[in-house]
Amino acid sequence: MAVSRTPLIAGNWKMNLDHLQAVAFVQKLYWTLKDAAHDEESVEVAVFPPFTDIRTVQTLLDADKIPFGLGGQDLSTHDSGAYTGEVSGAFLSKLACGYVIIGHSERREYHAESDDVVAAKVQAALRHGLTPVICVGETAADLEEFGASAVPAGQLRAALAGVPADADIVVAYEPVWAIGSGQAATPDQAQDVCAKLRAVISETVGADTADRTRILYGGSVKAANIAGFMREPDVDGALVGGASLVVDEFAAIIRYQKHVGV
Ligand code: PGA
């Protein structure tokens, strides 16, 4: 029997908002949701600020009892040592981060992160009690050559090597051609690939893990298209980039259950 999965709406800020802007943003988002009487239990919200903001955001969430999850956008494969510029999962854990994004296409492309590096980062996250948000997705060229699901399924299989059945993980299907392009996948396309990714989790880690793991769609998600994705049985949330930087837009995405007629 299928378990129910709490939807997760995650905001990947990328390299935007300094720590002062972060405070203003998080407070405004919280009050916007409060004013709209948003039911906190119905949808989990998480923000992924730049590293330099995390301590400040953590303090704010804690002081004002704001029920948002917090995560880093990357972590080191190592736990400590002579790795200039790297950030350990141990440090993220100490800052009360619950999540860390791993293998975002911008890391794969601009920092040459291979499937092996992504798998090592997943292990590093799990060592420090962080839930990895494992990003996978095909480029436009991959789509043409291999179809939609072959590349993301292969990336996920590699990332899950050695992941135990009791691990908490989140998977984000983000077609590279849809990221920041304004051209989102259709709900049907997202459902098709997310269902295949769930099958990969089932084969590699186990059926129970697959059943309880949240699979997000990402790539040009907006208030106007979120409801369509969330109607799909294998899409359990969204990883939102650009639209997560605009308070009213992100709040409307979080409140997708209230949208009528979309
Ligand atoms: P986008 O980015 O929502 O701006 O397309 C999504 C992402 O890169 O996670």
Side-chain angles (χ1 to χ4, degrees):
M1 202 189 76
V3 294
S4 76
R5 300 179 287 265
T6 305
L8 172 62
I9 302 291
N12 173 13
W13 295 2
K14 309 191 181 183
M15 198 170 70
N16 295 291
L17 305 183
D18 63 36
H19 71 290
L20 299 174
Q21 294 168 319
V23 169
F25 180 90
V26 169
Q27 278 175 328
K28 194 155 178 239
L29 178 64
Y30 179 54
W31 284 107
T32 302
L33 292 170
K34 255 209 135 85
D35 282 352
H38 173 67
D39 172 11
E40 288 165 8
E41 306 290 315
S42 65
V43 177
E44 185 183 346
V45 178
V47 291
F48 293 79
F51 289 135
T52 49
D53 298 6
I54 289 179
R55 172 64 172 153
T56 308
V57 174
Q58 178 221 355
T59 306
L60 171 65
L61 297 181
D62 192 42
D64 290 5
K65 308 217 166 356
I66 299 176
F68 297 166
L70 180 62
Q73 297 175 13
D74 184 33
L75 86 173
S76 175
T77 56
H78 304 284
D79 297 340
S80 66
Y83 302 102
T84 301
E86 295 283 280
V87 173
S88 167
F91 307 158
L92 295 176
S93 269
K94 264 272 156 49
L95 290 170
C97 284
Y99 295 103
V100 61
I101 294 173
I102 295 177
H104 189 280
S105 64
E106 287 149 18
R107 302 286 321 169
R108 292 180 191 262
E109 184 180 351
Y110 307 138
H111 300 269
E113 283 194 9
S114 64
D115 282 348
D116 286 350
V117 169
V118 170
K121 288 187 173 190
V122 170
Q123 292 301 322
L126 296 177
R127 274 200 303 282
H128 296 292
L130 299 163
T131 298
V133 178
I134 304 168
C135 299
V136 297
E138 80 288 357
T139 64
D142 294 333
L143 181 64
E144 201 147 291
E145 195 173 347
F146 309 109
S149 61
V151 167
Q155 289 172 337
L156 185 58
R157 207 166 274 123
L160 293 177
V163 168
D166 63 353
D168 275 329
I169 57 169
V170 170
V171 173
Y173 167 52
E174 297 203 304
V176 181
W177 48 268
I179 294 177
S181 67
Q183 192 206 335
T186 65
D188 270 2
Q189 285 173 315
Q191 165 58 26
D192 184 48
V193 179
C194 290
K196 294 201 165 90
L197 295 176
R198 200 175 299 287
V200 168
I201 303 170
S202 184
E203 283 158 29
T204 54
V205 186
D208 288 351
T209 316
D211 227 19
R212 65 181 169 75
T213 293
R214 289 172 296 180
I215 303 183
L216 316 181
Y217 166 76
S220 297
V221 169
K222 304 188 279 277
N225 61 20
I226 181 69
F229 292 114
M230 297 306 294
R231 269 198 292 268
E232 299 295 341
D234 285 295
V235 179
D236 307 309
L239 183 55
V240 186
S244 79
L245 299 168
V246 182
V247 170
D248 289 340
E249 184 75 12
F250 194 50
I253 292 172
I254 293 163
R255 298 183 65 250
Y256 71 89
Q257 289 161 333
K258 301 286 181 249
H259 298 200
V260 260
V262 280

